[in-house]
Amino acid sequence: MADTTTPSICPLLNETRHLIDCLGYIDSTANEDADMKKLVSLQIQQQMAAMPAFDPSAYLAYLPALELETKEMKRVAAGVALDAINTNKYRVVPPSTGLLKKSQDLHAQVEAWQTANANAKVAIEYETSRILNLEMLNKYGADRWKLHVGVLSGVHDKCVMELDESKAATEAINIKRKQEQLLNADKLWGLERKRDDLLRKTQYIEAACDAIERDVKRLKTAA
């Protein structure tokens, strides 16, 4: 008894919903009859073969795109190497001895010292920012982390609540299906017995007809 009233957000389930048609709460024959088990397994394989081919790359394509899909994520997906970060500006080193030789151009020496001085200022500013951040973390970090943990706890509680609601909805659907199937179980079993009786009668009649046909042929041959 397939439930087709509520469509799923997953297109794969929507496309194959018509293939799911069973009475799980009253079809107990499959658990008792080995031949029936083989038949059920064969039907499952046939249904799986009729389902659309699985495409891992498009498995979640029906879901909305994530906001995290930024340029950087696309770069990683494309396998493009990350541009090397220039760390020289964070190093506080004097100009090389080659630039400080007396034979070296004075303008080049001045430019080298200016570059070293600029790098030193950047390094000092960087360390100043680090000190400020550490002081702020020491003063406000605990409260911020407590707030963050509270937010995560709220998200967790919401997810748990949604999960419980989904489980409850699933259980309600299963209970409804079970009630519907058990309500009609006697009628279905009666129809099944009637079908089996008709099949046996049909087989008996066919066997009797075959016997009569053989007798007729024998009598015609004897005549």
Side-chain angles (χ1 to χ4, degrees):
M1 184 179 296
D3 184 8
T4 59
T5 56
T6 305
S8 171
I9 62 172
C10 179
L12 182 61
L13 292 179
N14 291 331
E15 293 174 4
T16 59
R17 183 178 293 274
H18 65 284
L19 299 176
I20 304 174
D21 187 10
C22 65
L23 302 175
Y25 294 100
I26 62 176
D27 286 345
S28 59
T29 309
N31 298 325
E32 303 170 358
D33 190 349
D35 294 335
M36 181 59 68
K37 287 183 178 180
K38 293 181 180 179
L39 178 60
V40 171
S41 298
L42 178 61
Q43 290 180 348
I44 291 175
Q45 294 175 3
Q46 292 174 348
Q47 291 178 2
M48 292 180 65
M51 295 173 67
F54 175 68
D55 184 5
S57 61
Y59 179 58
L60 300 177
Y62 67 94
L63 294 176
L66 297 176
E67 296 181 0
L68 297 178
E69 190 176 0
T70 59
K71 180 180 179 180
E72 186 64 16
M73 292 186 66
K74 293 180 179 179
R75 178 194 64 77
V76 174
V80 179
L82 179 66
D83 294 336
I85 300 176
N86 183 13
T87 59
N88 291 329
K89 60 182 180 181
Y90 300 109
R91 299 172 57 191
V92 182
V93 293
S96 63
T97 55
L99 293 175
L100 300 180
K101 292 181 179 179
K102 294 182 179 180
S103 59
Q104 190 68 24
D105 182 27
L106 180 61
H107 178 73
Q109 294 183 17
V110 172
E111 185 176 354
W113 277 111
Q114 288 177 344
T115 301
N117 184 48
N119 290 341
K121 290 181 179 180
V122 171
I124 293 173
E125 186 66 26
Y126 172 69
E127 293 298 333
T128 302
S129 298
R130 285 192 62 190
I131 293 173
L132 178 60
N133 289 334
L134 290 174
E135 290 177 349
M136 293 179 64
L137 178 63
N138 184 50
K139 185 175 182 179
Y140 304 107
D143 293 336
R144 293 294 300 175
W145 274 111
K146 289 179 182 178
L147 179 62
H148 182 62
V149 170
V151 172
L152 293 180
S153 178
V155 173
H156 173 267
D157 293 341
K158 182 180 179 181
C159 292
V160 171
M161 181 182 65
E162 292 179 353
L163 176 61
D164 292 339
E165 291 176 352
S166 298
K167 289 182 178 180
T170 302
E171 185 66 18
I173 292 175
N174 291 334
I175 292 175
K176 181 181 177 181
R177 288 176 175 173
K178 183 176 182 179
Q179 291 174 345
E180 291 177 349
Q181 293 179 22
L182 294 180
L183 182 64
N184 297 282
D186 293 336
K187 181 179 179 180
L188 291 172
W189 287 332
L191 292 173
E192 185 177 5
R193 288 192 296 269
K194 184 177 180 181
R195 181 204 62 184
D196 294 339
D197 292 339
L198 291 174
L199 288 175
R200 284 192 294 269
K201 289 180 180 179
T202 301
Q203 293 174 354
Y204 174 77
I205 293 172
E206 288 179 351
C209 290
D210 291 339
I212 293 173
E213 288 179 357
R214 287 194 299 270
D215 290 341
V216 170
K217 289 181 180 180
R218 181 175 55 81
L219 292 173
K220 286 182 178 180
T221 303

